[in-house]
Amino acid sequence: MAAYFGNFTNLFLQSAPWLLLGFFIGGLIHGFISTERMNRHLGGNSLWSTVKAAFIGAPLPLCSCGVVPTALGLRRSGASKNATVSFLVATPETGVDSISVTYALMGPMMALMRPIAAITSAIVAGTLVGRKTEKANIQRQTACKKACGSKKAQTEKTHSAAQKFISGLKFSYIDMLDDTANWLLIGLLFAAAVQAFVPESFFTQWGSSWLAFVVMAMIGIPMYICATASTPIAAGFLFSGVSPGAVLIFMLVGPATNLGTIAIIRRELGQRALIAYLTGVVVTGFLFAYITNLLAAHWPIQRHLLSEHHVVTGWVYLLSAVVLAVLLLASIYRQIKHKLTSNAVDKEA
């Protein structure tokens, strides 16, 4: 159990700054980007809006924990399900920081394949969401325009930048945090259990077979790890005998999915969007894994392992973890208080 709690603490520390950053970006989007502007760029269900969302998300240094609040901010500001899913896939799978670490640890081929596969899987996932899922979105946007569009426009004109900033922070660290806190904690707890109780030999025993693709996908889907942190682990798999293609699947699926993200996507975007999300990530990952193994036969993988890359210093991790813990405790308190109040009202009724 000591190893389990140690893993949980380490995961909480590693994810805290990215979670706070994701909520912060989500708040800025909600506070400063109008519904009309978001609808214009990411509100349609066209292929172009899906592509734009993928390229916007790809360079951002957000992992699967941090991208959820940011994506929810986009969605609630008017982005379509297609664009939201595309953003959700592209953002955690790659970023400028993780690409540089991939190049340092595994060479140019893996550093090149990673962003190409990430952007492609995002576009595929967004496209798979389909037009049917947008009917409810169009109706919601139309109703909002009729009921509160003029009021929102007036508010955006009269509010100062400071007021928008404060409003965005309240939206992120109260409203969105209350919606996602429980599932984020569940994802962290599960990831800690995987690291504590599943031996490393379990990941490496299948070598370069197709079964290795399946195993890496099954392990990666519920895991809770960011793109940068996944890279040294993936490099260790590579040097232990796992094929480059299977390693690529781990680097795509691991950061893009976890139990918390899956649950939140299902609740916020629906079952069809969740299926499109997972299909885009896994199927495209398998395709690029196969291509990567073919290329690896002619393009040697870099065979040295550098020290683990750290994006922020230790005190930032610690301070962020303290702030996040306080916010989560406050969120849990609000949820419990709301539930008790609701139960009391029900009993009186």
Side-chain angles (χ1 to χ4, degrees), residues 23 26-28 30-31 163-173:
F23 281 112
L28 292 182
H30 180 81
Q163 289 173 320
K164 291 180 180 179
F165 181 76
I166 294 173
S167 175
L169 291 184
K170 289 181 178 178
F171 172 78
S172 290
Y173 295 113

Side-chain angles (χ1 to χ4, degrees), residues 84-127:
T84 302
V85 168
S86 180
F87 183 86
L88 271 169
V89 173
T91 306
E93 285 188 340
T94 188
V96 290
D97 54 340
S98 61
I99 293 173
S100 64
V101 182
T102 304
Y103 179 85
L105 297 181
M106 289 175 278
M109 188 191 80
M110 296 296 285
L112 180 63
M113 293 299 293
R114 187 174 195 173
I116 293 175
I119 292 173
T120 303
S121 64
I123 295 172
V124 170
T127 303

Side-chain angles (χ1 to χ4, degrees), residues 13-210:
L13 285 169
Q14 289 183 0
S15 62
W18 307 113
L19 274 169
L20 294 177
L21 177 60
F23 281 112
F24 182 75
I25 294 175
L28 292 182
I29 291 171
H30 180 81
F32 287 91
I33 300 180
S34 66
T35 300
E36 290 76 14
R37 181 181 299 178
M38 189 60 63
N39 284 335
R40 186 167 64 251
H41 290 286
L42 300 178
N45 60 350
S46 65
L47 177 62
W48 178 232
S49 65
T50 303
V51 172
K52 282 195 292 185
F55 277 93
I56 289 172
L60 295 179
L62 293 174
C63 59
S64 57
C65 52
V67 71
V68 170
T70 306
L72 291 183
L74 285 171
R75 174 62 177 166
R76 296 179 186 183
S77 295
S80 66
K81 285 188 178 181
N82 301 54
T84 302
V85 168
S86 180
F87 183 86
L88 271 169
V89 173
T91 306
E93 285 188 340
T94 188
V96 290
D97 54 340
S98 61
I99 293 173
S100 64
V101 182
T102 304
Y103 179 85
L105 297 181
M106 289 175 278
M109 188 191 80
M110 296 296 285
L112 180 63
M113 293 299 293
R114 187 174 195 173
I116 293 175
I119 292 173
T120 303
S121 64
I123 295 172
V124 170
T127 303
L128 288 175
V129 172
R131 294 180 178 272
K132 291 183 180 180
T133 58
E134 285 307 301
K135 290 181 180 180
N137 185 42
I138 293 172
Q139 293 173 355
R140 178 179 60 84
Q141 292 173 6
T142 303
C144 181
K145 287 180 180 180
K146 292 180 179 180
C148 58
S150 60
K151 181 178 179 181
K152 180 177 176 62
Q154 183 179 2
T155 301
E156 289 174 352
K157 291 179 181 179
T158 57
H159 280 183
S160 65
Q163 289 173 320
K164 291 180 180 179
F165 181 76
I166 294 173
S167 175
L169 291 184
K170 289 181 178 178
F171 172 78
S172 290
Y173 295 113
I174 295 178
D175 296 339
M176 282 202 295
L177 185 62
D178 288 351
D179 289 341
T180 60
N182 293 338
W183 288 111
L184 290 173
L185 287 173
I186 290 172
L188 284 169
L189 290 168
F190 183 86
V194 170
Q195 291 187 357
F197 303 120
V198 179
E200 185 175 328
S201 59
F202 178 81
F203 297 99
T204 60
Q205 60 183 308
W206 290 281
S208 60
S209 67
W210 276 87

Side-chain angles (χ1 to χ4, degrees), residues 267-338:
R267 186 181 64 188
E268 296 288 337
L269 302 179
Q271 184 73 23
R272 185 188 180 99
L274 175 60
I275 294 173
Y277 178 88
L278 294 175
T279 302
V281 172
V282 175
V283 174
T284 308
F286 273 51
L287 174 62
F288 275 89
Y290 179 73
I291 296 173
T292 299
N293 278 348
L294 292 179
L295 292 175
H298 307 284
W299 193 347
I301 303 293
Q302 188 166 327
R303 291 291 176 180
H304 66 274
L305 184 62
L306 302 181
S307 61
E308 184 173 350
H309 178 74
H310 293 281
V311 181
V312 292
T313 55
W315 69 266
V316 175
Y317 281 111
L318 183 60
L319 180 61
S320 299
V322 172
V323 172
L324 180 61
V326 171
L327 290 172
L328 288 172
L329 289 173
S331 175
I332 294 171
Y333 171 77
R334 286 192 300 270
Q335 294 180 60
I336 294 174
K337 183 179 179 181
H338 176 73

